[in-house]
């Protein structure tokens, strides 16, 4: 997670500067070169990804037993046993409920990413047109603002990991963490309302970059409550034989969020910035409160998984 965000921090600084200050073709080519190095590194080091002999992962039943200190929850199912437990398409009722919980998390995650990914669309256009980007006589590219989120991820990830461990049994449930993530994303756009009002006024004043920095801080704090938590909970909720498929479904929430972000960015040309920012804030905050209300039923769908 830290490695991904280290690349997300460095990438926009290099590719963005080349694209905006030199040539857009060179900026895109730079990204291709970086991915080529990534493939080379993967091929050269993939032998390190092979499991050590004897370290094959235990079955989910055995893992559950080891955590609970008792015998496995259930013996391997026969066809008759599967029918007795209400299995459909090879999954038990409990497994179907857990898959349903993943789908619920998917919907709310898509709304979160729809707000969060404004950083590379609406908010980057805002930075380019309405933010004072001069520092010490140097005008830095608007694309550099995209690196701020990754920088905050690197800074906040260990902090939030410590907080969750420190809370112990008082640690919020996964639905509540998702709700907190949506709430923080919404508050970041509430914070941007005054900046949008000043930039969209008759005088069209350039606003301080600190407005965006503060908003990105809130958004990344929200990401800490949702993204790594979602990665983890999907692997726990998904039936063992379809974990890969369910992780793919989970990551589709980011794709859906980017689609929403792009659609919203298209509206920025025809809708006043305060209205756009306010709408995004209202949707995400409303989603947060809906998720808080649904926290109990979702936890029942999760079947004991935290």
């Amino acid at each position: 997670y830290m490695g991904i965000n280290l690349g997300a921090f460095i990438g926009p600084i290099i590719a963005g500067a080349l694209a905006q200050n030199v040539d857009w073709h060179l900026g895109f080519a730079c990204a291709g070169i970086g991915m080529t190095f990534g493939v080379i590194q993967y091929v050269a080091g993939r032998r390190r990804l092979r499991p050590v002999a004897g370290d094959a992962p235990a079955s989910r039943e055995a893992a559950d037993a080891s955590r609970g200190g008792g015998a496995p929850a259930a013996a391997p199912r026969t066809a008759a046993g599967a029918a007795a437990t209400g299995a459909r398409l090879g999954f038990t009722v409990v497994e179907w409920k857990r898959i349903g919980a993943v789908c619920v998390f998917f919907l709310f995650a898509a709304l979160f990413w729809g707000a969060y990914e404004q950083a590379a669309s609406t908010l980057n256009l805002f930075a380019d047109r309405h933010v004072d980007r001069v520092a010490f006589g140097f005008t830095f590219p608007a694309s550099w603002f995209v690196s701020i989120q990754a920088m905050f991820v690197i800074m906040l990830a260990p902090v939030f990991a410590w907080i969750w461990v420190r809370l112990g049994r008082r640690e919020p449930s996964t639905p509540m963490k998702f709700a907190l993530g949506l709430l923080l994303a919404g508050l970041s756009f509430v914070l941007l309302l005054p900046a949008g009002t000043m930039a969209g006024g008759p005088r069209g004043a350039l606003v301080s970059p600190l407005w965006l920095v503060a908003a990105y801080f809130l958004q990344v704090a929200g990401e800490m409550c949702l993204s790594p938590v979602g990665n983890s909970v999907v692997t726990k909720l998904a039936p063992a034989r379809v974990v890969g498929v369910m992780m793919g479904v989970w990551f589709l929430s980011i794709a859906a969020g980017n689609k929403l972000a792009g659609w919203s960015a298209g509206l920025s040309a025809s809708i006043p910035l305060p209205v756009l920012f306010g709408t995004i804030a209202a949707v995400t905050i409303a989603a947060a409160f809906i998720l808080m209300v649904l926290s109990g039923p979702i936890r029942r769908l999760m079947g004991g998984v935290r």
Side-chain angles (χ1 to χ4, degrees), residues 10-36 141 143-144:
I10 297 172
I13 292 176
I14 298 175
L18 289 173
Q20 288 192 268
N21 295 338
V22 183
D23 184 78
W24 282 98
H25 297 289
L26 187 60
F28 284 113
C30 176
I33 293 170
M35 287 187 281
T36 300
S143 54
W144 283 12

Side-chain angles (χ1 to χ4, degrees), residues 181-194:
L182 282 159
L183 181 61
L184 288 168
L187 291 177
S188 74
F189 281 92
V190 172
L191 178 65
L192 286 172
L193 281 173

Side-chain angles (χ1 to χ4, degrees), residues 57-277:
S59 67
R60 175 158 302 189
E61 290 83 1
D64 289 342
S66 66
R67 286 194 295 270
R77 298 193 308 275
T78 62
T85 57
R88 296 291 185 274
L89 301 177
F91 301 120
T92 66
V93 172
V94 172
E95 288 174 331
W96 275 118
K97 287 182 177 180
R98 289 177 173 176
I99 291 172
V102 172
C103 293
V104 173
F105 288 136
F106 170 94
L107 293 174
F108 284 98
L111 289 176
F112 172 84
W113 294 119
Y116 187 91
E117 296 297 346
Q118 299 290 328
S121 53
T122 308
L123 296 184
N124 213 231
L125 293 172
F126 178 77
D128 187 56
R129 299 167 182 171
H130 303 294
V131 171
D132 182 3
R133 295 182 285 109
V134 179
F136 305 106
F138 171 71
T139 302
F140 55 91
S143 54
W144 283 12
F145 278 94
V146 180
S147 293
I148 295 176
Q149 285 180 324
M151 179 188 69
F152 279 139
V153 169
I154 294 170
M155 293 169 58
L156 293 180
V159 175
F160 272 80
W162 177 83
I163 290 173
W164 301 142
V165 173
R166 185 72 175 175
L167 286 174
R169 297 181 65 86
R170 294 173 297 164
E171 180 183 357
S173 65
T174 296
M176 291 304 294
K177 287 181 180 179
F178 268 58
L180 183 57
L182 282 159
L183 181 61
L184 288 168
L187 291 177
S188 74
F189 281 92
V190 172
L191 178 65
L192 286 172
L193 281 173
T197 301
M198 287 186 287
R203 300 175 64 179
L206 292 178
V207 301
S208 169
L210 294 179
W211 288 102
L212 280 177
V213 172
Y216 288 153
F217 180 86
L218 289 175
Q219 290 175 9
V220 171
E223 181 188 352
M224 293 296 98
C225 298
L226 187 142
S227 181
V229 175
N231 292 346
S232 174
V233 78
V234 170
T235 64
K236 297 174 183 176
L237 289 172
R241 56 195 177 279
V242 291
V243 168
V245 173
M246 295 307 295
M247 284 302 297
V249 171
W250 165 247
F251 282 117
L252 280 176
S253 68
I254 303 178
N258 274 278
K259 179 64 176 177
L260 288 173
W263 176 71
S264 300
L267 297 176
S268 63
S270 56
I271 296 179
L273 286 172
V275 175
L276 182 60
F277 290 166

